[in-house]
Amino acid sequence: MAFQMISGSQAAATAVQRVGVDLVAAYPITPQTAIVETLADFSAKGELTGEFVSVESEYAALACCNGAAAAGARVFTATASHGLAYMHEMIHWCSGARLPIVMVNVNRTIGAPWCLDPDQGDSLSQRDTGWLQLYCANAQEVFDTVIQAFVIAEELLLPCMVVFDGFYISHTYEAVDVADEDEVRKLVGPPVFAPQVIPGQPGNMHGLSTGETQLKLVKDRHQEMLKLPRLFNEINRAFEKQFGRSYNIVETQIPVGAKRAIVAVGATAETVKWALPVLAETGLIQLRLFRPFPTAEIRQVIEENEITELVVVDRNCSVGMGGIFAQELRSALYELQRPPLVRSLILAGGVDLTEKMLLEILQSTGNEENFALRWGDEF
Amino acid sequence: MRIAELNRQDEMIYPGHNACPGCGAALAVRYLTKTLGKNIALVLTASCWSIISGMPPLTALKCPILHCPFPSAGSVGSGVRRGLDARGLYDTTVVVLAGDGGTFDIGLQALSGAAQRNEDYIFVCYDNEAYMNTGMQTSSATPFGARTNTAPYPLYKEGEKKDIMQIMAAHTVPYAATATVAFPADLEEKLKIAQSIRGFRFIHILAPCPPGWGTESADTIEVSRLAVATGFFPLYEVRNGNEWRLTVPADMKSVSLSEYLGKQRRFKEMDDRRLKKLQHEINRDYERLLDKVAKFSAEV
């Protein structure tokens, strides 16, 4: 156990090195580049167990991971924004093929126009691809979550995306408790999933299927993904034992008696944590999971704390519908006997969340025209 | 080579696959798998062979097949090779199989990336000169003058067939060769050479397509033979991007281009002007090829 001053990107790369992978295939894109470069550094120093391949595109990076994972290898790649969008077909394919690939996506706005700020629309637009999506709020969470992602992906045979905000997390240096290889490998162990390509053995992997077969396979994936919450808690019990820290699917900081809460995902959750002392009788609900959506866990938090009002901070916008986390929450909470009021703050483009915004939203009377929906440029 | 000489014991293709009668691609893969042997892993991109290979759990081949999305073949091949290496399976020959669309068009970027990295596998393109699986639409491998369903009468394919072999040679890959189903011995020899080399190897196989080309099913071999004789599809190999060797010479004096085109309904409306243009293209490319071959043989 040793603390290092490293960025979120370095935390991700270090976690991959600690876990030990057979192959890293990657292509550079801002703000993910430091992950690729750090892994290349590990490789140059002979500290990466597997191969590091510089490929010709993000699509190729994931396709290369697909091939290697199908041959039985543990693989990793990282991307952001346009790179993730460019991978889209392979993202679907890897999930359908049940390959336990771990990929980091560093949130960045997708153009046009070009923009480097950390809108979450890149990863959220991969919602329906069948990937697990875990969101991190600081560099320590990044390090820990990348390690856990390998266990989760290989256990469920589903690919897992670890997501964090560009610059706010990828480029910010923090003190991170960086476990050494032996400690991490004690927790993760060598890959145990079965290879799909077995020389000498006939097999027609992922060839033409019928709609009926697809239905069964999709149902399988859905049911398998819903096993995540239990698995997540098991892994975190083991993680706690080994490293003295653990996580919940839904993290909360709700003062006694508070009936309203800010819902935040990723770096904005850290901002809210700092603002909580000045926000009267308001709590924080931090979502660490987007797929599977933590419906049961969030309902439990709402019911136990008798929350009546949520303000959802969305660093994204589904044009024509609104903030994506707000939509998902409305849908997840609809069946509650007393669903809370879900208000939305849209910070699309990845603009900063400020204390001023939160204060103004929380001080509103309820009669304002924009009570339910606020945009980040109105403050 | 005679059919009687083929050792049926080594067949890697099962009877009852889904290819059309007279399919050049089915024959190409039959020779391919038989020659490369049992210890192969096949990466298969979207193409006619996605259908020919059958519906899982059925399969047309006695080797593992890994299907992959259309543009990804070159990259998935890189991954499978490295994944098998990670498991210590260095002796397995990885073969990436793609049609002309998955090679010349949508697969070109991945192909170029893999060739440049000198990935250790054999990329095999079976070229039936259009998107045949979707019903004969133009690809950049479609020859000038041919009619397709995206260039229907009175239209025809404009522009020349992309010279994929020159592109591969420009990547200075260890081995690249052309072949076709009428010359199985030539194909077998090239595959054996390819299998004996490490690094990126490229085999470009012309595979006649009876429904797409408008040929008789029984004429596949004859059409394939004429493609070589007319210089339309010369058989040669190139090592390291500059060692050019002709393996089966054309016989342009005794076989005319019209004889080749006349067997195919896709060239039915070919007028003299277009015929001349195509002939010019063939002559020019064949001469260029002979120049390279001569230059190399003079060096050795």
Side-chain angles (χ1 to χ4, degrees), chain A residues 23 51 53-57 59-60 63-64 67-68 70-71 86 89-90 93 195 197-199 201-208, chain B residues 39 41 53-56 58-59 61-69 71-72 75-76 79-80 82-84 87 92 109-110 113 117:
Chain A
L23 177 99
E51 286 188 87
V53 199
S54 288
V55 291
E56 75 281 0
S57 73
Y59 186 92
C64 191
Y86 190 43
E89 182 192 30
M90 286 306 310
W93 190 269
V197 176
I198 305 166
Q201 192 173 305
N204 196 358
M205 294 307 295
H206 318 307
L208 191 69
Chain B
N39 192 8
S53 65
M55 191 178 275
L58 303 179
T59 183
L61 294 174
K62 295 180 187 173
C63 64
I65 302 170
L66 183 70
H67 292 261
C68 66
S72 71
S75 314
V76 174
V80 169
R82 288 159 188 272
L84 291 175
R87 282 167 57 209
T92 301
Q109 178 171 314
R117 293 191 300 274

Side-chain angles (χ1 to χ4, degrees), chain A residues 332-346:
Chain A
L333 301 175
Y334 179 74
E335 285 167 33
L336 286 183
Q337 222 160 21
R338 272 189 293 275
L341 176 69
V342 177
R343 302 171 65 192
S344 176
L345 168 62
I346 296 182

Side-chain angles (χ1 to χ4, degrees), chain A residues 9-57:
Chain A
S9 295
Q10 288 168 331
T14 307
V16 172
Q17 186 275 333
R18 297 297 195 257
V19 166
V21 294
D22 296 310
L23 177 99
V24 174
Y27 186 82
I29 179 169
T30 302
Q32 153 268 32
T33 324
I35 301 175
V36 178
E37 287 181 347
T38 308
L39 284 165
D41 276 344
F42 279 125
S43 181
K45 287 186 277 186
E47 291 170 9
L48 199 66
T49 46
E51 286 188 87
F52 178 89
V53 199
S54 288
V55 291
E56 75 281 0
S57 73

Side-chain angles (χ1 to χ4, degrees), chain B residues 83-258:
Chain B
L84 291 175
D85 287 352
R87 282 167 57 209
L89 301 170
Y90 305 105
D91 296 336
T92 301
T93 300
V94 174
V95 181
V96 173
L97 185 65
D100 46 291
T103 305
F104 290 63
D105 287 344
I106 197 168
L108 186 64
Q109 178 171 314
L111 170 65
S112 171
Q116 184 277 323
R117 293 191 300 274
N118 198 23
E119 295 284 352
D120 186 20
Y121 65 76
I122 306 176
F123 192 111
V124 177
C125 169
Y126 67 94
D127 178 7
N128 48 26
E129 302 196 313
Y131 292 90
M132 295 310 185
N133 196 28
T134 43
M136 182 70 184
Q137 295 85 24
T138 303
S139 81
S140 62
T142 305
F144 168 79
R147 193 159 37 94
T148 70
N149 284 335
T150 44
Y153 181 83
L155 304 176
Y156 53 87
K157 161 75 188 293
E158 306 266 8
E160 299 181 7
K161 181 183 172 95
K162 190 185 279 181
D163 192 339
I164 196 74
M165 285 294 286
Q166 291 228 66
I167 294 173
M168 285 295 99
H171 285 73
T172 60
V173 295
Y175 190 73
T178 61
T180 186
V181 290
F183 298 86
D186 179 71
L187 171 58
E188 189 183 314
E189 195 192 333
K190 285 166 176 167
L191 287 166
K192 281 182 173 160
I193 292 169
Q195 201 172 22
S196 72
I197 296 170
R198 299 228 96 153
F200 195 83
R201 295 141 283 168
F202 182 78
I203 309 283
H204 179 196
I205 306 177
L206 184 73
C209 170
W213 292 12
T215 54
E216 294 304 317
S217 298
D219 282 350
T220 294
I221 301 302
E222 177 63 4
V223 169
S224 163
R225 192 186 64 76
L226 289 172
V228 176
T230 54
F232 178 87
F233 193 83
L235 296 183
Y236 60 99
E237 60 182 19
V238 51
R239 293 182 197 225
N240 305 312
N242 62 358
E243 302 161 26
W244 302 76
R245 199 170 69 86
L246 199 64
T247 59
V248 178
D251 186 10
M252 289 149 89
K253 289 210 175 78
S254 24
V255 190
S256 74
L257 180 61
S258 336

